[in-house]
Amino acid sequence: MNRKERIILHIDVNSAFLSFEAVHRLQHGATVDVRKIPSAVAGSQATRHGIILAKSLPAKAYGVKTGEASWEAKQKCPGIVLIPPDYPLYMCCHRALVRLLKDYSDKVQVFSIDECFMEAPGMLMKEESIRFAHRIREHVRQELGFTVSVGVSTNKLLAKMGSELKKPDAVSTLFPPEVGKKMWPLPVEDLYGVGRAAAAKLHRYEIHTIGDLAETDVKLLSYLFKSYSRDHGQMLWEYAHGVERSDIMTSGPPTKSIGNSCTVHFDVEDRETAHAVLLSLAETVGMRLRLANLCGRVIGVSIRKSGDLVTYSHQVKIQSSIDCTDAIYEYCRRLFDAAWKGEPIRGLGVWVNDLSSSGYIQLSALEKDWDEKKKVDRTVDAIRAKYGPFSIVRGNFVQSGLAPLAGGAGGDAGFPVMTSIL
DNA sequence: TCTGGGGTCCTAGGACCC
DNA sequence: TCTGGGGTCCTAGGACCC
């Protein structure tokens, strides 16, 4: 590559949640940098949220993996320091990173809480693009205190694969001519778009590396993955060759769905308790809908069984779009009653789909008029906005042992994640 | 004192209509 | 009375991502 090209960078925060914690703690007088000891950000085991969300490099050396149960991590690494997650702090760090990147380019695409794509302004030579990436890497470390890995290439897929090549605090190129040398030796499951199911299938056909995948007849791949989507096999083959054509999207696609789910601290075995959990979930889902000025026509609940952790769901499409907490709750209660088979429940979820802007609500004559309830919603939203989310809660939850507002990361959560097109 | 929570996209298969 | 085909809408669930 010896001419000017359009350059795409992928910026990936190293051990994001753990790094954010480390920086925050150091800023507040901590003497230990948790990045330098075996540590991890993990939910509480007591409330059955005990999985590893991010780990330090020393913890990784003990074999601790993201997504595994905390007790497993403790077995592998008895001295591990576990830190409870603080999502508002992580959102703060995320916003600071995005602000910094936007000083370098108008074309920044937020991909998740710890990943961004960006297009370098103008066309650059290879050496210039590497210098550009280092400038950003250095600036982030100096100003924000955490490190990033930067992948440099000419499309988003290769930039993303590139940022994986070296961590932490590193810049790696993965230009198309380097694909054979740097990407093909990697295990096929490292390729973006190859998950557990696809990897198992590929291994059965003796396709073990990305290079193997690249050499496979695209017709065979189309056949193997036809149940995923019409073009999934073709897409994987193109990815294996480093081909990907999507643009940097500076504004996310419109929201398609808003939902919240939660693992309950104990097994739910009766309808009344399940209803209470659904109400607390409907509260957060309703608030998020109203905040986004959205209404939805498809209401759904999901039920996660305690024994095998398998989830099943039930949904309904209604005549008019709603955003009212009580309306959502009422549909969810009916859905739950119709779907629940009576087994112990580990967790419940509520979601609303088929969204439209709340300006266009058409109230069907067949359905309830929720006007009065909507006024209550607005009042409650306003009080919570001013005095905090728990300033006003429903009487049902007092002393119930249940959270009045359920759901994970809260109002700021929800990053669009693209599957077929980066 | 046993594994979270937020999304997107896609297909299969049934119901229903012409 | 039996049979075919095309199309749309809807729900359940799988696969993927971070």
Side-chain angles (χ1 to χ4, degrees):
Chain A
M1 190 184 131
N2 43 18
R3 58 192 169 86
K4 286 183 181 282
E5 299 231 34
R6 181 188 80 136
I7 295 298
I8 305 291
L9 267 49
H10 179 253
I11 292 97
D12 188 338
V13 180
N14 304 124
S15 311
F17 291 179
L18 191 92
S19 297
F20 296 157
E21 288 289 345
V23 171
H24 183 252
R25 286 163 184 238
L26 292 172
Q27 281 169 349
H28 288 78
T31 49
V32 175
D33 184 337
V34 291
R35 284 171 292 193
K36 294 178 177 160
I37 59 169
S39 69
V41 174
S44 136
Q45 270 175 290
T47 57
R48 311 205 295 185
H49 290 68
I51 66 160
I52 302 296
L53 299 164
K55 79 270 177 200
S56 67
L57 287 176
K60 188 183 178 182
Y62 281 88
V64 173
K65 293 193 175 76
T66 301
E68 78 182 351
S70 302
W71 64 267
E72 285 179 277
K74 283 183 193 163
Q75 272 184 353
K76 292 176 182 173
C77 179
I80 192 167
V81 174
L82 296 182
I83 298 164
D86 177 356
Y87 292 103
L89 168 67
Y90 309 155
M91 282 308 302
C92 221
C93 297
H94 162 77
R95 283 190 290 262
L97 174 66
V98 174
R99 268 198 305 274
L100 186 150
L101 297 179
K102 283 185 175 170
D103 282 344
Y104 286 86
S105 169
D106 296 332
K107 291 192 176 174
V108 173
Q109 177 178 346
V110 174
F111 193 59
S112 75
I113 194 162
D114 64 343
E115 290 178 45
C116 289
F117 292 102
M118 66 189 285
E119 186 175 328
M123 310 274 273
L124 299 179
M125 302 285 286
K126 181 180 171 182
E127 292 308 320
E128 293 173 315
S129 70
I130 296 170
R131 280 199 296 276
F132 180 68
H134 275 296
R135 201 152 71 234
I136 289 171
R137 176 191 63 74
E138 191 68 24
H139 190 176
V140 172
R141 196 172 49 127
Q142 297 286 342
E143 184 158 325
L144 304 178
F146 50 83
T147 63
V148 293
S149 287
V150 185
V152 185
S153 189
T154 52
N155 68 44
K156 286 196 272 180
L157 174 84
L158 289 179
K160 182 161 168 59
M161 296 298 295
S163 68
E164 294 291 311
L165 293 174
K166 197 174 171 205
K167 307 175 181 183
D169 199 20
V171 169
S172 310
T173 64
L174 184 54
F175 290 112
E178 302 177 289
V179 163
K181 197 174 123 207
K182 290 189 179 177
M183 195 169 84
W184 284 0
L186 298 174
V188 75
E189 45 267 57
D190 286 4
L191 185 67
Y192 184 82
V194 176
R196 210 184 349 184
K201 196 171 262 196
L202 291 168
H203 288 311
R204 280 201 295 277
Y205 283 80
E206 298 295 322
I207 299 165
H208 302 297
T209 65
I210 299 177
D212 293 341
L213 184 62
E215 285 169 14
T216 304
D217 185 350
V218 66
K219 288 200 201 80
L220 171 64
L221 297 176
S222 293
Y223 169 76
L224 285 181
F225 295 104
K226 63 180 188 298
S227 69
Y228 286 43
S229 80
R230 211 170 42 250
D231 303 326
H232 196 79
Q234 165 91 23
M235 184 196 79
L236 291 181
W237 185 85
E238 289 184 357
Y239 281 6
H241 285 270
V243 174
E244 194 274 320
R245 302 175 188 86
S246 73
D247 285 320
I248 297 281
M249 287 174 281
T250 48
S251 63
T255 305
K256 302 264 171 78
S257 153
I258 287 183
N260 280 106
S261 59
C262 68
T263 297
V264 187
H265 303 0
F266 48 88
D267 278 357
V268 175
E269 293 179 319
D270 64 287
R271 225 149 51 112
E272 290 66 36
T273 306
H275 288 176
V277 174
L278 291 173
L279 175 57
S280 74
L281 288 162
E283 288 257 25
T284 41
V285 170
M287 273 200 303
R288 290 174 60 202
L289 281 168
R290 296 188 294 273
L291 192 68
N293 285 314
L294 292 168
C295 282
R297 275 188 68 196
V298 175
I299 317 297
V301 300
S302 62
I303 301 170
R304 191 173 204 211
K305 292 188 281 176
S306 189
D308 52 12
L309 305 176
V310 170
T311 300
Y312 61 97
S313 65
H314 195 33
Q315 67 179 55
V316 65
K317 183 156 192 167
I318 58 177
Q319 289 294 314
S320 52
S321 297
I322 56 170
D323 67 359
C324 170
T325 296
D326 281 297
I328 296 166
Y329 170 57
E330 194 161 313
Y331 284 110
C332 287
R333 207 176 49 188
R334 285 187 222 161
L335 288 165
F336 174 83
D337 290 349
W340 186 42
K341 303 183 195 87
E343 71 284 313
I345 298 164
R346 184 179 181 88
L348 287 160
V350 166
W351 75 81
V352 177
N353 266 339
D354 198 354
L355 303 179
S356 55
S357 149
S358 34
Y360 296 96
I361 309 163
Q362 286 280 322
L363 196 67
S364 146
L366 295 169
E367 297 191 31
K368 259 199 209 180
D369 185 343
W370 295 94
D371 258 10
E372 284 306 310
K373 299 283 194 184
K374 285 178 75 75
K375 281 182 201 156
V376 176
D377 281 338
R378 270 194 288 275
T379 308
V380 170
D381 288 348
I383 292 170
R384 285 180 177 155
K386 193 165 175 188
Y387 300 105
F390 297 103
S391 53
I392 179 164
V393 301
R394 291 183 191 247
N396 323 27
F397 293 109
V398 177
Q399 311 223 321
S400 69
L402 294 169
L405 302 168
D412 244 325
F415 289 94
V417 171
M418 282 123 285
T419 49
S420 57
I421 301 163
L422 276 172

